[in-house]
Amino acid sequence: MSLWEKWEREKLEKEGIKVPRQSDVEIRDMREKPSLKKQIGILFLAIVACLALFFTAVTYFKGGNWWSNTYFARLLAERGAHREAASENQ
C-alpha cells in the first residue's frame, strides 16, 4: 500500500466512512512443533555416545598405569588417606 492510499484511507475514516482494510501480509505460525519422539531419540543417542566415549577411553588407557598418575586420581587418593588418618586420630 502506498503512502497516498494510506492518507486517503485515514481521511475517509476521519469523515466517518468505513473503509475495508486490505493487507497483503499473511500471518501464520512457521515454527514446527517439537516432536517428543525426536527429542527422546536425540537424548538417547547423546547418552549412548557419552558412554561409548567413556568406555573407549577407559579401555584405551587401561593398559598402563596412566589413570592412577592423573591429577584427579592422586587428589582423590590423598583425600581418602587424609580422612583415614583423621578418623584414626579421633
Side-chain angles (χ1 to χ4, degrees), residues 13-82:
E13 285 176 351
K14 285 180 183 176
E15 293 176 3
I17 301 172
K18 203 168 199 179
V19 181
R21 298 237 176 218
Q22 296 177 352
S23 178
D24 296 335
V25 179
E26 184 180 331
I27 300 173
R28 58 186 165 157
D29 189 20
M30 296 298 291
R31 239 183 340 168
E32 294 181 17
K33 303 290 183 206
S35 170
L36 186 62
K37 195 182 270 189
K38 185 177 179 181
Q39 290 178 352
I40 290 173
I42 290 171
L43 180 66
F44 178 73
L45 288 175
I47 291 172
V48 168
C50 288
L51 289 174
L53 284 173
F54 173 75
F55 286 119
T56 302
V58 166
T59 56
Y60 180 73
F61 293 114
K62 191 175 182 182
N65 202 8
W66 192 84
W67 284 107
S68 61
N69 289 333
T70 61
Y71 172 76
F72 187 68
R74 281 185 280 129
L75 180 67
L76 290 177
E78 288 173 8
R79 282 191 177 181
H82 179 68

